[in-house]
Amino acid sequence: MDGEHITLGFERGRPARRMPSHRLVLLILLMGSLLVVLFAYWDVMMLTAGAVPMARNTNSIGSAELGNETVAEKLHREVRILCWVLTTPKYHKTRAIHVLRTWGKRCNKIYFMTSEPDDELPTVVLTKPDRYEVLWGKTKEAFTHIHEQMSDEADWFIKADDDTYVFLENLRYMLYPYSPNMSIYFGFNYKMVGTHQKNESYMSGGSGYVLSREALRIFAEGLNDTAKCRQEDDHAEDVEMGKCLFNLGVKAGDSRDEQLRNRFYPVVPYGALLSGNVGMDFWLYKYAYYNARACMDCLSEYPVAFHYVNNEQLYVYEYFNYQFQHSGRLQVEEQLPKKIREEDLVIPESDNPVT
């Protein structure tokens, strides 16, 4: 008999079939390798599941259309954001540098608007003095400089403070349905106080606001209109920005998610999530354009920005959002929302009756 064989079994009426032993060993090795590969694949998927935040939206572009790109990579390429951070020399080393080392590195471009240059920061030196009273003047100067020198570097332009934290991936995802050619801007929307026109509002300067390329152009070219924009440099920057943009015809967009939960927030997360943390006379509840309440389900699970974040907290946010993982997290399919045509854009009116 040529070679050693192993009998596998018998079938009635037929002689036993035999397989050469070396082939049986190869078959066992092949099956074992396949099991190892499948187990490893399952293990990796479980560990990395949910790492990219995406919406659960049926009217969306599926991952099959992304090719080899991730959703975050596609958004970084297609939704270009220039970030500019308002700061002063005394906060360069205690605030601004930490912004640059955390969320700022995810901007397509980032600049720090200040009164003195700094070798560690990409600074733009403004002529206005470092005083709170002239923030409106500094904001006008900063946006004008960006329009004149940098408007081709991005599609959207966000202003933030040096104690703001911005999730750029979620901001790009929120902006994706909108064309930068729309005259629109987004942020946490406040009701205008005192005498004002119907539906007039403004965005919180603390949690930041983002202008489309077209909104930036309209603002920069129209801010010298004395009938529409305050010419003096004093007064509250975000209020005057809201008045000016409203008078120039720039739409104040609704930045809430599909469940009407806020994505921009002018306070830190615990102020939004802890019910009963403050009374109903809290300024945030009184002035929010859309009904805002402290509760565990009122804040979007894909937030864009928070305010009053100190430099230590910046790194805590970094860890828990870009390094922290837990086993058993479910995989979320990567999707992008449907584009919105300007003629189909609907912005809800205020629903907050608190005064």
Side-chain angles (χ1 to χ4, degrees), residues 94-125:
T94 58
R95 294 184 182 182
I97 192 64
H98 301 294
V99 168
L100 182 63
R101 293 171 179 171
T102 55
W103 65 265
K105 62 189 178 184
R106 299 181 187 94
C107 303
N108 294 84
K109 294 284 186 177
I110 184 168
Y111 298 98
F112 293 85
M113 302 295 176
T114 183
S115 61
E116 294 179 9
D118 191 307
D119 291 340
E120 293 188 273
L121 298 170
T123 55
V124 173
V125 177

Short mmCIF file of all heavy atoms in Angstrom, two decimals, residues 94-125:
data_model
loop_
_atom_site.label_atom_id
_atom_site.label_comp_id
_atom_site.label_asym_id
_atom_site.label_seq_id
_atom_site.Cartn_x
_atom_site.Cartn_y
_atom_site.Cartn_z
N THR A 94 -1.70 79.89 28.98
CA THR A 94 -2.59 79.21 29.91
C THR A 94 -3.88 78.72 29.26
O THR A 94 -4.56 77.85 29.80
CB THR A 94 -2.95 80.13 31.09
OG1 THR A 94 -3.57 81.32 30.57
CG2 THR A 94 -1.71 80.50 31.87
N ARG A 95 -4.22 79.26 28.10
CA ARG A 95 -5.45 78.85 27.41
C ARG A 95 -5.20 78.51 25.93
O ARG A 95 -5.45 77.39 25.50
CB ARG A 95 -6.52 79.93 27.51
CG ARG A 95 -7.04 80.21 28.91
CD ARG A 95 -8.18 81.23 28.86
NE ARG A 95 -8.70 81.57 30.17
CZ ARG A 95 -9.71 82.41 30.39
NH1 ARG A 95 -10.29 83.02 29.34
NH2 ARG A 95 -10.13 82.67 31.61
N ALA A 96 -4.72 79.49 25.19
CA ALA A 96 -4.64 79.35 23.73
C ALA A 96 -3.80 78.17 23.30
O ALA A 96 -4.19 77.41 22.39
CB ALA A 96 -4.11 80.64 23.11
N ILE A 97 -2.65 77.97 23.90
CA ILE A 97 -1.78 76.87 23.49
C ILE A 97 -2.44 75.52 23.71
O ILE A 97 -2.22 74.56 22.95
CB ILE A 97 -0.42 76.94 24.24
CG1 ILE A 97 0.59 75.99 23.61
CG2 ILE A 97 -0.60 76.66 25.73
CD1 ILE A 97 0.96 76.33 22.19
N HIS A 98 -3.31 75.43 24.73
CA HIS A 98 -4.00 74.17 25.00
C HIS A 98 -5.16 73.94 24.02
O HIS A 98 -5.47 72.80 23.69
CB HIS A 98 -4.49 74.17 26.45
CG HIS A 98 -3.38 74.33 27.45
ND1 HIS A 98 -2.40 73.37 27.62
CD2 HIS A 98 -3.07 75.35 28.29
CE1 HIS A 98 -1.55 73.79 28.54
NE2 HIS A 98 -1.92 74.98 28.96
N VAL A 99 -5.77 75.02 23.55
CA VAL A 99 -6.74 74.89 22.47
C VAL A 99 -6.07 74.33 21.22
O VAL A 99 -6.58 73.41 20.57
CB VAL A 99 -7.40 76.25 22.16
CG1 VAL A 99 -8.18 76.19 20.85
CG2 VAL A 99 -8.31 76.68 23.30
N LEU A 100 -4.88 74.87 20.91
CA LEU A 100 -4.15 74.41 19.72
C LEU A 100 -3.78 72.94 19.83
O LEU A 100 -3.79 72.22 18.83
CB LEU A 100 -2.90 75.26 19.54
CG LEU A 100 -2.03 74.95 18.31
CD1 LEU A 100 -2.80 75.22 17.02
CD2 LEU A 100 -0.74 75.77 18.35
N ARG A 101 -3.45 72.47 21.03
CA ARG A 101 -3.01 71.09 21.23
C ARG A 101 -4.16 70.10 21.35
O ARG A 101 -3.93 68.90 21.34
CB ARG A 101 -2.14 71.01 22.49
CG ARG A 101 -0.80 71.74 22.36
CD ARG A 101 -0.09 71.82 23.69
NE ARG A 101 1.20 72.50 23.57
CZ ARG A 101 1.97 72.87 24.60
NH1 ARG A 101 1.56 72.60 25.84
NH2 ARG A 101 3.11 73.48 24.40
N THR A 102 -5.38 70.60 21.47
CA THR A 102 -6.53 69.70 21.60
C THR A 102 -7.45 69.85 20.38
O THR A 102 -7.08 69.44 19.29
CB THR A 102 -7.27 69.97 22.93
OG1 THR A 102 -7.65 71.36 23.01
CG2 THR A 102 -6.39 69.61 24.12
N TRP A 103 -8.59 70.47 20.53
CA TRP A 103 -9.55 70.49 19.43
C TRP A 103 -9.09 71.33 18.26
O TRP A 103 -9.49 71.07 17.11
CB TRP A 103 -10.92 70.98 19.92
CG TRP A 103 -11.00 72.40 20.40
CD1 TRP A 103 -10.89 72.83 21.69
CD2 TRP A 103 -11.24 73.57 19.60
NE1 TRP A 103 -11.05 74.20 21.76
CE2 TRP A 103 -11.27 74.68 20.48
CE3 TRP A 103 -11.45 73.79 18.24
CZ2 TRP A 103 -11.49 75.99 20.04
CZ3 TRP A 103 -11.65 75.09 17.80
CH2 TRP A 103 -11.68 76.16 18.68
N GLY A 104 -8.22 72.32 18.50
CA GLY A 104 -7.78 73.19 17.42
C GLY A 104 -7.04 72.48 16.31
O GLY A 104 -7.05 72.92 15.15
N LYS A 105 -6.38 71.36 16.61
CA LYS A 105 -5.62 70.64 15.60
C LYS A 105 -6.51 69.95 14.58
O LYS A 105 -6.02 69.46 13.56
CB LYS A 105 -4.69 69.62 16.27
CG LYS A 105 -5.41 68.53 17.05
CD LYS A 105 -4.42 67.68 17.84
CE LYS A 105 -5.13 66.62 18.68
NZ LYS A 105 -4.18 65.87 19.54
N ARG A 106 -7.82 69.92 14.81
CA ARG A 106 -8.74 69.28 13.87
C ARG A 106 -9.39 70.28 12.92
O ARG A 106 -10.16 69.89 12.04
CB ARG A 106 -9.80 68.48 14.63
CG ARG A 106 -9.18 67.38 15.48
CD ARG A 106 -10.20 66.54 16.22
NE ARG A 106 -9.49 65.65 17.11
CZ ARG A 106 -9.22 65.91 18.39
NH1 ARG A 106 -9.66 67.05 18.92
NH2 ARG A 106 -8.54 65.07 19.13
N CYS A 107 -9.13 71.57 13.12
CA CYS A 107 -9.61 72.58 12.16
C CYS A 107 -8.82 72.43 10.87
O CYS A 107 -7.65 72.03 10.88
CB CYS A 107 -9.40 73.98 12.72
SG CYS A 107 -10.19 74.31 14.32
N ASN A 108 -9.42 72.77 9.75
CA ASN A 108 -8.65 72.83 8.51
C ASN A 108 -7.62 73.94 8.57
O ASN A 108 -6.49 73.80 8.09
CB ASN A 108 -9.58 73.04 7.33
CG ASN A 108 -10.51 71.85 7.10
OD1 ASN A 108 -11.56 71.75 7.74
ND2 ASN A 108 -10.13 70.95 6.21
N LYS A 109 -8.00 75.07 9.18
CA LYS A 109 -7.10 76.17 9.47
C LYS A 109 -7.49 76.74 10.82
O LYS A 109 -8.67 76.75 11.19
CB LYS A 109 -7.21 77.28 8.41
CG LYS A 109 -6.75 76.89 7.02
CD LYS A 109 -5.22 76.85 6.94
CE LYS A 109 -4.77 76.59 5.51
NZ LYS A 109 -3.29 76.62 5.38
N ILE A 110 -6.50 77.24 11.57
CA ILE A 110 -6.81 77.89 12.85
C ILE A 110 -5.90 79.10 13.04
O ILE A 110 -4.70 79.05 12.70
CB ILE A 110 -6.67 76.91 14.04
CG1 ILE A 110 -7.09 77.60 15.35
CG2 ILE A 110 -5.24 76.34 14.14
CD1 ILE A 110 -7.25 76.65 16.52
N TYR A 111 -6.50 80.19 13.56
CA TYR A 111 -5.77 81.41 13.84
C TYR A 111 -6.23 81.95 15.19
O TYR A 111 -7.40 81.83 15.56
CB TYR A 111 -6.01 82.47 12.75
CG TYR A 111 -5.54 82.04 11.39
CD1 TYR A 111 -6.45 81.51 10.45
CD2 TYR A 111 -4.20 82.12 11.01
CE1 TYR A 111 -6.03 81.10 9.19
CE2 TYR A 111 -3.78 81.72 9.75
CZ TYR A 111 -4.70 81.20 8.86
OH TYR A 111 -4.29 80.78 7.61
N PHE A 112 -5.29 82.54 15.91
CA PHE A 112 -5.58 83.16 17.20
C PHE A 112 -5.52 84.67 17.04
O PHE A 112 -4.47 85.22 16.69
CB PHE A 112 -4.61 82.66 18.27
CG PHE A 112 -4.78 81.21 18.58
CD1 PHE A 112 -4.15 80.23 17.82
CD2 PHE A 112 -5.60 80.81 19.63
CE1 PHE A 112 -4.33 78.88 18.10
CE2 PHE A 112 -5.78 79.46 19.92
CZ PHE A 112 -5.15 78.50 19.15
N MET A 113 -6.65 85.33 17.26
CA MET A 113 -6.75 86.77 17.13
C MET A 113 -6.37 87.41 18.46
O MET A 113 -7.04 87.20 19.48
CB MET A 113 -8.18 87.16 16.73
CG MET A 113 -8.65 86.53 15.43
SD MET A 113 -7.70 87.13 14.01
CE MET A 113 -8.39 86.12 12.69
N THR A 114 -5.29 88.19 18.46
CA THR A 114 -4.73 88.74 19.68
C THR A 114 -4.03 90.06 19.37
O THR A 114 -4.13 90.55 18.23
CB THR A 114 -3.76 87.72 20.31
OG1 THR A 114 -3.26 88.22 21.54
CG2 THR A 114 -2.62 87.37 19.38
N SER A 115 -3.34 90.62 20.36
CA SER A 115 -2.68 91.92 20.15
C SER A 115 -1.17 91.81 20.06
O SER A 115 -0.50 92.81 19.82
CB SER A 115 -3.06 92.88 21.29
OG SER A 115 -2.64 92.36 22.54
N GLU A 116 -0.63 90.59 20.27
CA GLU A 116 0.82 90.41 20.19
C GLU A 116 1.12 89.07 19.51
O GLU A 116 0.38 88.10 19.71
CB GLU A 116 1.47 90.42 21.58
CG GLU A 116 1.39 91.74 22.30
CD GLU A 116 2.03 91.68 23.68
OE1 GLU A 116 2.68 90.64 23.98
OE2 GLU A 116 1.87 92.65 24.45
N PRO A 117 2.18 88.96 18.72
CA PRO A 117 2.54 87.69 18.08
C PRO A 117 3.08 86.70 19.11
O PRO A 117 3.50 87.07 20.20
CB PRO A 117 3.62 88.09 17.07
CG PRO A 117 4.23 89.33 17.66
CD PRO A 117 3.11 90.05 18.35
N ASP A 118 3.06 85.43 18.74
CA ASP A 118 3.56 84.37 19.61
C ASP A 118 4.15 83.28 18.73
O ASP A 118 3.46 82.78 17.82
CB ASP A 118 2.43 83.82 20.48
CG ASP A 118 2.92 82.90 21.59
OD1 ASP A 118 3.67 81.94 21.29
OD2 ASP A 118 2.56 83.13 22.76
N ASP A 119 5.40 82.88 19.00
CA ASP A 119 6.07 81.88 18.16
C ASP A 119 5.41 80.51 18.22
O ASP A 119 5.58 79.70 17.31
CB ASP A 119 7.55 81.75 18.58
CG ASP A 119 8.35 83.00 18.24
OD1 ASP A 119 7.90 83.78 17.39
OD2 ASP A 119 9.42 83.20 18.86
N GLU A 120 4.66 80.24 19.27
CA GLU A 120 4.02 78.93 19.42
C GLU A 120 2.62 78.88 18.85
O GLU A 120 2.01 77.81 18.79
CB GLU A 120 3.98 78.53 20.90
CG GLU A 120 5.32 78.27 21.54
CD GLU A 120 5.17 77.69 22.93
OE1 GLU A 120 5.05 78.49 23.89
OE2 GLU A 120 5.16 76.45 23.06
N LEU A 121 2.10 80.03 18.43
CA LEU A 121 0.72 80.09 17.96
C LEU A 121 0.64 80.74 16.58
O LEU A 121 1.39 81.66 16.29
CB LEU A 121 -0.14 80.92 18.93
CG LEU A 121 -0.29 80.42 20.36
CD1 LEU A 121 -0.96 81.49 21.21
CD2 LEU A 121 -1.09 79.13 20.40
N PRO A 122 -0.28 80.27 15.72
CA PRO A 122 -0.55 80.98 14.47
C PRO A 122 -1.42 82.19 14.77
O PRO A 122 -2.65 82.09 14.83
CB PRO A 122 -1.29 79.93 13.63
CG PRO A 122 -1.93 79.02 14.63
CD PRO A 122 -1.03 78.99 15.83
N THR A 123 -0.79 83.33 15.00
CA THR A 123 -1.51 84.51 15.45
C THR A 123 -1.79 85.49 14.32
O THR A 123 -1.05 85.56 13.35
CB THR A 123 -0.72 85.25 16.55
OG1 THR A 123 0.60 85.55 16.05
CG2 THR A 123 -0.60 84.41 17.81
N VAL A 124 -2.87 86.23 14.49
CA VAL A 124 -3.16 87.41 13.68
C VAL A 124 -3.26 88.56 14.67
O VAL A 124 -4.10 88.55 15.58
CB VAL A 124 -4.48 87.26 12.90
CG1 VAL A 124 -4.83 88.58 12.21
CG2 VAL A 124 -4.37 86.14 11.87
N VAL A 125 -2.40 89.55 14.52
CA VAL A 125 -2.34 90.67 15.46
C VAL A 125 -3.35 91.73 15.04
O VAL A 125 -3.28 92.28 13.94
CB VAL A 125 -0.92 91.26 15.52
CG1 VAL A 125 -0.88 92.48 16.44
CG2 VAL A 125 0.08 90.20 15.98
#
